[in-house]
Amino acid sequence: MDFNISSKPERKIMTGDEHFTFYGMPINKLFSDFVMWYSSDLLDISIRGPLAEFIVAQALEIDFIEARSDNQGFDLRYKGNCLEIKSSAYLQSWEQTRPSNISFSIKKAIEKEGWFYADDERSPDIKRHSIAYVFCLYKYRDKPTANPLILDHWDFYILPTSEIDKKCGDQKNLSLNKLLELNPVKCEFDGIKDAIDSIINSITTKDKNN
């Protein structure tokens, strides 16, 4: 088979009912079987990040038209604006002797870790591309009963990216205590949309007045 790598792949959203096939015949396993096998440990750090993005997207009532991708300098697009969604938790999937320290990544997007697509052109700008950050803390501390699908077990801290740029510069990580010093908006799941809308409206108004 010839290679065709001349354009970006279509990131269509799967239904879960797609069959694995071998020589055109289904092998009695569906894509949803893979998803359940791969994604059921919601305390796994590699799953928690995308889960946090999905939770915030539901709060913002975002209709997904493409599958998630790591190949961009932001996590969600909302009302024409880019958002960064970061997560942390006291509980991890591995054996622990104490709760984990809470820390969030705030590093700028760099070429090999996050391409920012604009009009199908790759922009290797090293910066924070979002208008705001949503820091998602899974605060629950009892591992045997932990269930990240229970949304009242999460806290959300929201900050304009301009505040992070101004106060943190090139800093790559942010502890919970340092985050609180920046006076973020703290809310539960049902307050995310109002907090983000307020930030967008404030920045839009400021831009119009300048």
Side-chain angles (χ1 to χ4, degrees), residues 168-184:
C168 302
D170 291 332
Q171 191 172 322
K172 294 182 178 180
N173 295 289
L174 195 61
S175 69
L176 180 59
N177 287 337
K178 290 296 184 182
L179 171 60
L180 295 177
E181 290 177 7
L182 300 180
N183 297 314

Side-chain angles (χ1 to χ4, degrees), residues 11-196:
R11 292 193 284 115
K12 66 179 181 179
I13 295 178
M14 311 284 272
T15 67
D17 294 329
E18 294 82 2
H19 285 271
F20 286 87
T21 65
F22 183 65
Y23 283 100
M25 296 297 294
I27 65 167
N28 200 31
K29 286 297 176 183
L30 303 176
F31 176 65
S32 57
D33 295 316
F34 162 74
V35 172
M36 287 186 290
W37 169 77
Y38 177 78
S39 304
S40 289
D41 184 0
L42 299 182
L43 292 181
D44 190 289
I45 192 170
S46 66
I47 304 299
R48 191 185 65 235
L51 175 63
E53 293 174 26
F54 184 83
I55 290 171
V56 173
Q58 303 320 298
L60 297 176
E61 301 175 351
I62 294 175
D63 291 325
F64 293 118
I65 58 175
E66 287 187 318
R68 181 184 180 275
S69 173
D70 284 324
N71 296 318
Q72 52 193 14
F74 60 94
D75 293 319
L76 296 175
R77 191 183 294 277
Y78 174 65
K79 293 185 175 180
N81 299 283
C82 300
L83 301 174
E84 275 288 349
I85 317 300
K86 299 302 179 184
S87 73
S88 190
Y90 295 107
L91 300 178
Q92 309 296 337
S93 59
W94 56 81
E95 185 176 343
Q96 295 175 262
T97 57
R98 59 180 176 80
S100 293
N101 294 324
I102 300 302
S103 179
F104 301 95
S105 172
I106 56 169
K107 65 181 178 181
K108 298 178 181 181
I110 60 177
E111 292 184 26
K112 66 179 180 180
E113 293 181 358
W115 286 101
F116 177 70
Y117 287 98
D119 298 324
D120 291 328
E121 294 295 330
R122 288 189 168 189
S123 171
D125 294 338
I126 303 175
K127 63 180 182 180
R128 299 181 180 100
H129 297 284
S130 62
I131 194 172
Y133 272 65
V134 183
F135 299 99
C136 309
L137 172 60
Y138 183 61
K139 61 184 178 181
Y140 201 67
R141 293 171 181 253
D142 183 53
K143 188 175 288 189
T145 60
N147 180 2
L149 300 182
I150 300 175
L151 299 183
D152 38 305
H153 290 173
W154 292 79
D155 281 336
F156 302 90
Y157 301 87
I158 302 172
L159 268 176
T161 300
S162 58
E163 280 296 297
I164 296 174
D165 285 337
K166 182 167 62 176
K167 302 283 181 62
C168 302
D170 291 332
Q171 191 172 322
K172 294 182 178 180
N173 295 289
L174 195 61
S175 69
L176 180 59
N177 287 337
K178 290 296 184 182
L179 171 60
L180 295 177
E181 290 177 7
L182 300 180
N183 297 314
V185 174
K186 180 183 178 181
C187 61
E188 294 187 314
F189 172 76
D190 60 354
I192 295 174
K193 190 174 190 301
D194 285 345
I196 292 294

